[in-house]
Amino acid sequence: MSSPETLAPPVAAPAGGSRRLTIARAMAEAIGQAMERDPAVIVMGEDIARLGGVFGTTTGLLDRFGPERVRDTPISETAFIGAAVGLAGAGFKPVVELMFVDFFGVCMDAIYNLAAKQCYFSGGQVTCPMVLMTSVGGGYGDAGQHSQCLYATFGHLPGLKVVIPSNAADAKGLMLAAIRDPNPVIFMYHKALQGMGWLGTVKRSIVDVPAGDHVIPLDRARVVRAGRDLTIVSLGVGVHHALDAAEELAAEGIAAEVIDLIAIAPLDRATVRASVGRTGRLLVVDDDYLSYGVGAEVIASVCEDAGVALRARPRRIAHPDIPVPFTPVMEHHVLPDAGKVLAAARTIMTEKNA
Amino acid sequence: MSGVANNRGSNSDRLWMYATMVKSRHFEALIKPAYFEGKSPVFNMAKGPLPGEMHLSDGQEPCAVGVCAHLGIADTVTATHRPHHIAIAKGVDLDAMAAEIFGKASGLSGGRGGHMHLFDAAVNFACSGIIAQGLGPAVGAALAAKLRGEPHVAVAFLGEGAANQGAFHEALNLAAVWRVPAVFVIEDNAYGISVAKRDCTAVASNATRAAAYAMPGHHVPGNDPDAVHAVAGEAIARARRGEGPSLIEIETIRLEGHFMGDAEGYRPDGEVARLREADPIPRYRASLLADGVSAATLDTAESEARAAVESAFARARAAAYPLPEEAFAHVFA
């Protein structure tokens, strides 16, 4: 069938060259560059100063910017995320870290009732320019309180922008864009892509990153591999599962198009619809819980569009509706992977009609 | 207005406190009949010009005026689900506040927030309807002042029930660790909706909890504006000097129910009558008269305060509702 084509990452002409970085390094670099440029940017969170972030998101910032602007907090997410809302309302641009997204249970009011509604309840008088960066995902045996994704939980709530990079260049571009955005942005980074030495990392996430200023939109999905037979939509680590599966499918003569959502709020429905309009087949892959999830939203968005003619029933792969189990034989049984994507894609391709 | 060294504020502060208490009380007085329009004979919270919950502040005015007498526009206040007296004392635009509560386009947020979510950026006032959740933002606002080297403070008001929320303890600890210019003011009206403080709080006085966070804890009995003024002046001046946060617990009274329509069956017999006798406004008027302020001066201040409220309500009632589709504006900046 068609010859698969892997699209180059949409990196603008690199100013000052580029280097291969992990997502962790790219995030820290972006935050540091934002802090150099704008004294209103400050960083707060647990273990983000001396330690540089458990997941390396703030490495080196304390030495460069000092303890007034790089603040280790008590283990008090409600207080310091609430304080970030107050700082943002007072003209600062706080970047705060919620170490694991699983910890949102102890501080969600500050996120969805304060940060997300400050602009609305003030009729636009008071904005909330803050970034909440938080690690997501499992696959390394950390069990159900440290392995969740919760994309849909955050994507469901109005007033929040939600992004998740699948590679280091996007991580830098999204972080710089998020810090400049006048709204609260939830910046989710996937532990399987983070590039920490002690945590396995998908090598494809380590890419050339522009050294200079680099911003990408907070509301645009991207076709990362072109193909005419089937559209596979994913985000974060799922993009890599999809790309791995697409290579296998190519060997079988099936040209899969892979879309990296990059953002789930707002969701770039147009890019997905355009792709499925070409392929007529849709598979959504995400590692959040299945029900009411990203897959459901993407599939509904396509089905609602009368202009998209489907040639097979859309399918979704996600984590089933159970807590993330600890023992690896169970966890890998339920987590999406390239093999599951491949199997679902083959099923879709063998269906004759929607 | 500056803090004072003696136990009693300046005459101008005292007259301002009196007039502001009267203004707040009159605001609530005009809400009451408006709230029940369309809600009788059958009470339906959704009906009438003031739908939704309504939490009145009658009786708690001394807390607001005694604290806010020390605050300027650049100081931040975060308030609670019962915010009117505090908003008025902080100088929130009265017309826009009334219009907001009536859900009108000229309201503070154009009708998106309503009575529990009043924001006035011009005077750095905000409130949240979720218990104890104004404390984190106040710590942030105080940190902003500290980072900028400005002498401003942030004051978070909360009820005594909020002192049992985790957010209270997290925020006090964070404020103390970072030594920010924040003051936490507990309006202890003895009830969290229906549950009495004594039935749900392990300490007799929440002021003692300040010791857990190495900050001064002040207990202010008597619901007296002058006593609040003296203690708040000390705490706010301390914060402005960069010496860190304080906790103030004010014994106050809630003359109305938790919300309008509350049958108040949880109150012991005779309590409402006793509270009415303890109404702080007539007592404060008598105190001012005894100190030589003329009745004519007080009468003039009262008239002006009432006139401002009446004008605000008349404008709010006459104002236009927003277009329904305006609901979609301001979700994002």
Side-chain angles (χ1 to χ4, degrees), chain B residues 217-244:
Chain B
H218 304 278
H219 176 82
V220 185
N223 204 27
D224 171 32
D226 290 330
V228 175
H229 185 278
V231 169
E234 186 182 327
I236 291 167
R238 181 176 186 275
R240 290 197 204 284
R241 290 195 304 268
E243 294 171 21

Side-chain angles (χ1 to χ4, degrees), chain A residues 25 47 56 62 70 112 159 180 185 191 259 261 263 271 319 350:
Chain A
R25 292 283 174 188
D47 306 289
L62 175 66
V70 182
Y112 88 120
R180 287 176 204 173
V185 178
K191 281 167 278 179
I259 293 178
L261 285 176
T271 293
H319 192 285
T350 56

Side-chain angles (χ1 to χ4, degrees), chain A:
Chain A
M1 299 170 85
S2 66
S3 60
E5 175 199 356
T6 300
L7 302 184
V11 172
S18 63
R19 309 89 341 119
R20 286 169 64 78
L21 295 181
T22 62
I23 287 181
R25 292 283 174 188
M27 288 173 69
E29 179 172 285
I31 297 167
Q33 287 177 1
M35 293 181 81
E36 280 171 4
R37 183 183 287 241
D38 186 350
V41 178
I42 74 168
V43 186
M44 308 193 300
E46 293 156 13
D47 306 289
I48 59 87
R50 193 178 300 274
L51 189 66
V54 166
F55 298 107
T57 54
T58 54
T59 303
L61 299 181
L62 175 66
D63 290 342
R64 289 168 64 197
F65 300 103
E68 288 293 289
R69 294 181 67 195
V70 182
R71 308 180 79 91
D72 270 333
T73 64
I75 305 170
S76 303
E77 290 85 354
T78 283
F80 74 76
I81 297 173
V85 174
L87 280 162
F92 280 83
K93 296 174 182 171
V95 178
V96 294
E97 173 149 288
L98 179 63
M99 189 186 293
F100 290 78
V101 75
D102 314 68
F103 301 171
F104 90 100
V106 299
C107 60
M108 197 56 167
D109 195 74
I111 299 168
Y112 88 120
N113 270 330
L114 294 178
K117 292 171 184 158
Q118 184 150 278
C119 184
Y120 195 72
F121 278 166
S122 69
Q125 294 177 73
V126 188
T127 58
C128 194
M130 63 181 273
V131 179
L132 182 81
M133 53 184 179
T134 186
S135 74
V136 304
Y140 62 102
D142 218 4
Q145 295 177 344
H146 294 76
S147 299
Q148 298 166 97
C149 292
L150 307 178
Y151 309 129
T153 303
F154 286 83
H156 185 65
L157 300 166
L160 301 174
K161 296 187 176 183
V162 183
V163 298
I164 172 167
S166 67
N167 64 68
D170 287 355
K172 179 170 180 179
L174 289 172
M175 180 58 78
L176 281 168
I179 293 171
R180 287 176 204 173
D181 196 90
N183 298 290
V185 178
I186 309 297
F187 185 108
M188 293 178 154
Y189 55 91
H190 201 290
K191 281 167 278 179
L193 306 177
Q194 190 65 0
M196 304 305 289
W198 48 273
L199 202 55
T201 294
V202 176
K203 294 290 182 282
R204 200 193 282 109
S205 68
I206 303 171
V207 299
D208 285 346
V209 178
D213 195 35
H214 172 58
V215 171
I216 66 171
L218 297 172
D219 59 356
R220 292 281 188 282
R222 184 191 309 134
V223 177
V224 293
R225 179 185 175 108
R228 69 181 184 202
D229 299 324
L230 162 71
T231 300
I232 306 177
V233 174
S234 193
L235 72 173
V237 72
V239 172
H240 299 280
H241 299 324
L243 288 170
D244 289 343
E247 283 176 27
E248 297 280 328
L249 290 166
E252 298 171 17
I254 297 168
E257 180 148 298
V258 178
I259 293 178
D260 183 348
L261 285 176
I262 300 175
I264 58 163
L267 180 64
D268 181 1
R269 294 178 168 88
T271 293
V272 176
R273 285 169 174 161
S275 173
V276 183
R278 291 189 295 271
T279 65
R281 299 183 182 91
L282 172 62
L283 170 62
V284 188
V285 182
D286 90 278
D287 47 343
D288 190 10
Y289 303 124
L290 177 78
S291 296
Y292 309 98
V294 171
E297 184 60 35
V298 168
I299 290 169
S301 299
V302 168
C303 292
E304 282 168 344
D305 185 345
V308 178
L310 290 166
R311 302 164 69 186
R313 283 176 298 163
R315 302 184 82 90
R316 54 189 163 147
I317 294 174
H319 192 285
D321 295 332
I322 61 169
V324 181
F326 159 66
T327 191
V329 295
M330 289 182 181
E331 187 180 20
H332 292 297
H333 180 64
V334 297
L335 272 181
D337 58 26
K340 288 170 186 159
V341 176
L342 192 57
R346 286 173 179 148
T347 303
I348 290 174
M349 292 308 297
T350 56
E351 267 193 31
K352 286 304 169 201
N353 287 302

Side-chain angles (χ1 to χ4, degrees), chain B residues 79-121:
Chain B
T80 68
H81 59 288
R82 195 181 309 285
H84 299 169
H85 56 317
I86 306 166
I88 289 169
K90 187 59 171 67
V92 169
D93 185 290
L94 204 62
D95 290 352
M97 175 175 158
E100 180 66 26
I101 294 167
F102 277 88
K104 299 300 182 72
S106 54
L108 287 164
S109 77
R112 293 173 188 82
H115 123 95
M116 279 190 278
H117 315 103
L118 306 172
F119 283 76
D120 190 347

